[in-house]
Amino acid sequence: MLYMIMGLVEPGSHERRAKARPDHLKRLTALQNEGRLVIAGPLPAVDSPDPGPAGYTGGLIVAEFPSLSAATAWAQEDPYIQADVYRDIVVKPFVQALP
């Protein structure tokens, strides 16, 4: 089943995010290589694909996991959690209606 994982960014975590980003992307690439990643990306703090100094308010991942508990466990191991970039995460089942 698909699950939506949304991480909410801790204000002032820009430097920690930059340090943890390569490891964060490595995990997403592994999901992609396994054919389990539907979509992933950051949530800009302003209405722009490049928010500049405004930064990001979070990130969104939609991927396939065997269960809600497996998706939650995977999310808890994210480098952004470990580096205190995300102050909170939300994991919910997701049904893709389109496309």
Side-chain angles (χ1 to χ4, degrees):
M1 180 162 186
L2 295 178
Y3 294 89
M4 181 262 337
I5 301 169
M6 186 171 67
L8 304 173
V9 169
E10 180 71 39
S13 64
H14 178 74
E15 288 181 25
R16 294 189 306 273
R17 179 184 180 274
K19 276 182 141 178
R21 190 166 189 265
D23 290 335
H24 173 75
L25 293 177
K26 184 187 287 187
R27 294 180 84 232
L28 291 173
T29 299
L31 277 180
Q32 182 179 27
N33 291 342
E34 295 167 8
R36 297 170 45 204
L37 182 65
V38 174
I39 193 167
L43 305 171
V46 295
D47 190 12
S48 171
D50 180 4
Y56 299 94
T57 61
L60 175 70
I61 299 165
V62 176
E64 184 179 343
F65 291 93
S67 66
L68 177 59
S69 62
T72 301
W74 185 91
Q76 289 292 342
E77 294 298 319
D78 193 281
Y80 282 175
I81 290 284
Q82 307 303 316
D84 294 325
V85 174
Y86 286 161
R87 64 177 163 80
D88 194 18
I89 57 167
V90 176
V91 182
K92 294 186 178 257
F94 179 83
V95 176
Q96 184 174 358
L98 294 170

